[in-house]
Amino acid sequence: MISPIAQRVFQVVVFGGAAFMALGGGFFRDEMLPDNVSRTVTYTLYKSLPPPPQGPSFCKAVTVGIYGLMRPCDYKPPFIWWLQNRA
């Protein structure tokens, strides 16, 4: 049986992560390629939006080694950009 405290911690982590992703947050991984070029792979809830400059841009918020968290640069969730530019 799971204790009520463990259940509450699980709920906060899962729903906090879901809210972070829905508001435009995401995860990234940097990879160094030859000739001093880097490739950044991003994971967001909004995978079908076009990349910048046509689509919304993301900024790195927290970096730990090659992994990190990112957020929208203008602090507006990507679904607002989609609603404004869906025509």
Side-chain angles (χ1 to χ4, degrees), residues 4 7 10 13-14 19-20 23 31 33 41 47 49 58-59 70 77 79 81 85:
Q7 187 176 11
F10 177 78
V13 169
V14 169
F20 173 72
L23 292 174
E31 181 180 353
L33 300 174
V41 180
K47 65 179 183 173
L49 292 176
F58 294 93
C59 295
M70 58 185 206
F79 66 83
W81 179 90
N85 298 314

Side-chain angles (χ1 to χ4, degrees), residues 35-67:
D35 296 329
N36 206 21
V37 176
S38 69
R39 176 173 62 178
T40 303
V41 180
T42 60
Y43 303 98
T44 67
L45 183 65
Y46 305 96
K47 65 179 183 173
S48 62
L49 292 176
Q54 293 86 16
S57 59
F58 294 93
C59 295
K60 296 177 181 178
V62 177
T63 303
V64 178
I66 62 170
Y67 300 101

